[in-house]
């Protein structure tokens, strides 16, 4: 099995989930998994602590553009209200409670034909030469898609939020149809044994 750190409660993976927490371009192109429990846990904590704030920050950008264009006080009031909500969510107690309530690791089984890439123990930042910390990952995803693969298997990739020097195998799955959770497999088994 592979692991996915999240702050969401769900029984099946869906393509609409891609990039919903980090907002990184490479995250939007796949559903990500790892074989390392500590890495998955680190992502679950990040998602629980920062995911809701990141989503609101994206909304804030949109509202701010609208307010700048319109110049209306009512539009600026919406920006101010959202800014206060973001500030409230960012406090230590609220952040810690979200971690306790929401951080979880989903176990899944993946299938498909994968492009395998060896990161040689380096981080995506180290592999990206152009200053864009996401460009190397995105290039590998683009290669996999161009080759008609179901995803990319990154071996020896050091990519864990808040953890360093922790190379692991990461999987970027392009389509949720190639992912099954424990509950889905249990349902299949139960139906087969009726």
């Amino acid at each position: 099995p592979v692991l996915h750190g999240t702050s969401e409660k769900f029984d099946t993976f869906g393509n609409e989930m891609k990039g919903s927490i980090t907002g990184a371009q490479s995250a939007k192109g796949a559903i990500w998994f790892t074989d390392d429990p500590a890495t998955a846990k680190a992502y679950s904590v990040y998602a629980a602590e920062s995911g809701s704030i990141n989503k609101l920050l994206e909304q804030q950008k949109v509202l701010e553009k609208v307010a700048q264009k319109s110049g209306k006080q009512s539009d600026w009031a919406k920006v101010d209200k959202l800014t206060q909500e973001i500030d409230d969510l960012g406090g230590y107690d609220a952040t810690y409670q979200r971690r306790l309530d929401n951080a979880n690791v989903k176990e899944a089984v993946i299938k498909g034909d994968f492009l395998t890439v060896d990161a040689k123990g380096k981080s995506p930042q180290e592999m990206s030469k152009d200053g864009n910390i996401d460009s190397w990952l995105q290039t590998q995803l683009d290669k996999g898609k161009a080759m008609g693969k179901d995803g990319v298997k990154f071996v020896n990739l050091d990519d864990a939020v808040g953890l360093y020097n922790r190379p692991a195998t990461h999987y970027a799955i392009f389509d949720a149809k190639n992912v099954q959770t424990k509950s889905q497999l249990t349902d299949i088994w139960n139906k087969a044994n009726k």
Side-chain angles (χ1 to χ4, degrees):
V2 292
L3 307 167
H4 178 86
T6 185
S7 62
E8 304 297 323
K9 309 286 189 230
F10 58 89
D11 291 321
T12 60
F13 284 89
N15 289 322
E16 70 280 356
M17 299 169 155
K18 295 177 188 175
S20 62
I21 299 300
T22 68
Q25 187 62 37
S26 61
K28 293 176 183 176
I31 303 169
W32 288 82
F33 298 89
T34 182
D35 65 347
D36 181 47
T39 298
K41 181 67 176 173
Y43 271 100
S44 75
V45 168
Y46 174 79
E49 291 180 348
S50 302
S52 55
I53 293 173
N54 291 345
K55 288 177 184 179
L56 290 176
L57 287 169
E58 288 299 315
Q59 290 176 16
Q60 184 187 40
K61 285 180 189 176
V62 172
L63 288 176
E64 192 168 1
K65 286 180 183 177
V66 169
Q68 287 172 343
K69 189 173 182 178
S70 76
K72 293 181 183 176
Q73 184 57 36
S74 59
D75 289 336
W76 283 110
K78 292 176 187 175
V79 173
D80 291 343
K81 182 180 177 188
L82 193 55
T83 300
Q84 184 59 53
E85 189 176 340
I86 292 166
D87 287 347
D88 293 344
L89 280 174
Y92 176 81
D93 290 340
T95 300
Y96 183 70
Q97 193 60 48
R98 280 196 309 280
R99 180 193 307 181
L100 292 178
D101 293 344
N102 301 325
N104 69 95
V105 175
K106 296 285 185 185
E107 193 172 294
V109 174
I110 56 174
K111 64 179 181 178
D113 181 26
F114 304 112
L115 169 64
T116 300
V117 178
D118 188 350
K120 299 176 174 59
K122 294 183 178 182
S123 69
Q125 294 86 341
E126 292 172 294
M127 299 299 283
S128 296
K129 306 261 188 264
D130 62 3
N132 173 353
I133 64 170
D134 200 35
S135 65
W136 180 78
L137 288 174
Q138 188 59 49
T139 298
Q140 305 316 308
L141 298 182
D142 291 343
K143 283 181 189 176
K145 288 177 182 176
M147 295 170 69
K149 300 292 186 177
D150 296 308
V152 179
K153 177 181 178 181
F154 295 91
V155 296
N156 301 311
L157 178 63
D158 183 11
D159 188 25
V161 176
L163 303 176
Y164 303 96
N165 297 320
R166 192 167 186 96
T169 300
H170 295 256
Y171 300 86
I173 309 302
F174 299 144
D175 193 323
K177 71 179 183 186
N178 293 316
V179 180
Q180 291 185 314
T181 62
K182 187 176 181 179
S183 64
Q184 287 174 296
L185 294 171
T186 300
D187 287 346
I188 292 168
W189 189 86
N190 287 338
K191 287 177 185 173
N193 288 296
K194 280 188 176 182

